[in-house]
Amino acid sequence: MSFSILGTGKAVPEYVLTNDELSTMVETSDEWISTRTGIKKRHICKEETITELCVQAAEEAMSNAGVTAKELDLIICATLRGEYITPSQACVVQKELGATCPAFDINAACSGFIYALDVAAGFFARGRVKKVLVIALDNLSNIVDWKDRNTCVLFGDGGGAAVLGEGDSLLSIEITAKGDTDVLKCPHGENTSPFYKHPSEHPYLYMNGPEVYKFAVVSMVKGIKRAIKNAGLKEEDIDWVIPHQANIRIIETAVSKLKIPSERFIRTIAEYGNTSGGSCAIALADSVSQGKFKKGDNIVFCAFGSGLTTGSCVIRWDKD
Ligand code: UT7
């Protein structure tokens, strides 16, 4: 017993920041950003809080699933920075939804949605739950250095949610981690303790783009291949691929190395940029609302990110 996806939802902030507007803030251009990354715009929080976005995505997923807050047995929120250090973002969302179940966060950065699915699968396997709400949503505009063109052009805010119920949709899943604080990190910032001896680091996202790129390309191809093999399938059996949306060139490299037709890869990066943990969940919710999937479709998810983490899985779509 694993799970079925009963409903999906997404939430992105209203404000859209274009490449042209960014070009007035840092030395960059629509041409550079478009050709190097595939990003045309991103949604950035102005009025919305991360909690409001999480609740919006969750309510849409619950409404699509026909599941009420009282029916939820668990809420998992994959985010690398919630509204508070404590309580967890999942607990804040639980309160807003009026749910009464256990709730906790997972921090696996861009791989968070797949990490959360794996944790949820464990709860289903142990018979502990019947309905689980998974939310994967990040608000990276909060931690990006808006003066650093190497990073600020890449990220956007938002994410998605899925309500899971008992079922057999999950055909394979794998998560990995390779601890690394050199290529991608965001320090906490100031430590106010009068006793603490270490210097503070700037609380901004730092990324060695080319190094992460190399890790990403290898992880994406390896992750997709392993997920398919572990599901007992072949590449030609795959109907859709939902890759983490970090850079269109990473996705196109994966396309060139796999025997899966290019049009089966979902691409949302032009519209949203890299939304970290939110990206696979947004791509899933958009695909569902566009009616892309039919019953029996095999969908591969693959993500990589800070940690360094990776996650990949195959889900068989079992809704009409
Ligand atoms: O979500 C998971 C984590 N993130 C990722 O997976 C991101 C992985 N990495 C990437 O997608 C790419 O490495 C980037 C898009 C971040 C960078 O692309 P790149 O082709 O690897 O460029 P680069 O870092 O090698 O920089 C090339 C040039 C440099 O100039 P010089 O040294 O050649 O004169 C940069 O200073 O482009 C310059 N540059 C920019 N120019 C205009 C860097 N950022 C910008 C910018 N606008 N925004």
Side-chain angles (χ1 to χ4, degrees):
M1 168 73 66
S2 63
F3 58 73
S4 264
I5 297 180
L6 305 181
T8 55
K10 79 153 189 213
V12 294
E14 208 177 303
Y15 178 64
V16 173
L17 177 61
T18 62
N19 290 348
D20 285 335
E21 186 177 351
L22 256 174
S23 310
T24 67
M25 299 167 61
V26 286
E27 202 183 326
T28 190
S29 63
D30 174 46
E31 205 263 331
W32 192 95
I33 303 171
S34 302
T35 54
R36 295 288 182 123
T37 71
I39 300 167
K40 298 299 280 181
K41 51 193 171 175
R42 67 287 289 143
H43 296 244
I44 298 291
C45 286
K46 275 190 172 179
E47 305 289 337
E48 305 88 348
T49 65
I50 188 169
T51 299
E52 286 166 354
L53 293 177
C54 286
V55 169
Q56 189 187 328
E59 284 179 339
E60 192 177 302
M62 287 158 58
S63 151
N64 288 342
V67 168
T68 64
K70 295 282 179 245
E71 290 175 78
L72 295 175
D73 300 309
L74 180 67
I75 299 173
I76 305 174
C77 189
T79 188
L80 55 78
R81 180 177 149 153
E83 189 104 34
Y84 305 99
I85 290 176
T86 190
S88 69
Q89 188 59 38
C91 283
V92 178
V93 170
Q94 187 245 39
K95 170 178 177 275
E96 294 299 317
L97 293 177
T100 51
C101 58
F104 60 84
D105 287 358
I106 287 178
N107 179 347
C110 306
S111 313
F113 184 55
I114 298 165
Y115 263 67
L117 292 181
D118 202 5
V119 173
F123 277 82
F124 280 104
R126 287 182 291 126
R128 292 282 303 277
V129 292
K130 290 200 185 315
K131 301 278 186 298
V132 175
L133 170 64
V134 169
I135 303 167
L137 202 141
D138 274 313
N139 175 208
L140 293 199
S141 64
N142 223 356
I143 54 171
V144 155
D145 178 354
W146 285 97
K147 293 192 177 68
D148 177 12
R149 69 176 185 174
N150 290 295
T151 50
C152 76
V153 304
L154 303 175
F155 299 102
D157 297 333
V163 174
L164 313 178
E166 289 171 300
D168 294 306
S169 279
L170 185 66
L171 305 189
S172 74
I173 191 158
E174 184 173 70
I175 55 175
T176 74
K178 175 172 169 276
D180 186 305
T181 51
D182 291 328
V183 298
L184 184 47
K185 69 171 174 185
C186 180
H188 270 300
E190 201 182 351
N191 182 320
T192 52
S193 163
F195 305 104
Y196 195 64
K197 296 267 191 244
H198 300 274
S200 315
E201 292 182 82
H202 292 296
Y204 294 128
L205 195 77
Y206 165 83
M207 182 172 74
N208 179 335
E211 281 305 312
V212 179
Y213 191 93
K214 281 186 236 161
F215 170 74
V217 167
V218 172
S219 306
M220 179 76 86
V221 175
K222 216 161 105 182
I224 292 174
K225 283 188 170 184
R226 282 178 63 91
I228 294 171
K229 186 163 176 262
N230 292 341
L233 299 175
K234 297 195 164 44
E235 288 176 29
E236 38 277 35
D237 299 326
I238 298 306
D239 299 287
W240 298 102
V241 181
I242 298 191
H244 172 45
Q245 309 284 317
N247 188 322
I248 198 71
R249 291 186 292 141
I250 296 172
I251 298 174
E252 300 311 341
T253 305
V255 171
S256 72
K257 291 185 186 302
L258 294 159
K259 294 190 281 297
I260 304 172
S262 173
E263 63 276 13
R264 298 190 188 169
F265 285 71
I266 309 283
R267 297 162 175 89
T268 62
I269 189 163
E271 164 74 22
Y272 304 111
N274 179 349
T275 52
S276 180
S279 95
C280 288
I282 290 177
L284 171 66
D286 276 355
S287 303
V288 172
S289 64
Q290 290 158 9
K292 281 201 160 84
F293 304 150
K294 60 180 191 316
K295 196 170 180 173
D297 276 0
N298 294 315
I299 309 164
V300 188
F301 291 74
C302 189
F304 52 84
S306 180
L308 297 167
T309 60
T310 74
S312 55
C313 66
V314 178
I315 283 174
R316 180 164 293 155
W317 197 249
D318 63 359
K319 286 179 72 168
D320 290 318

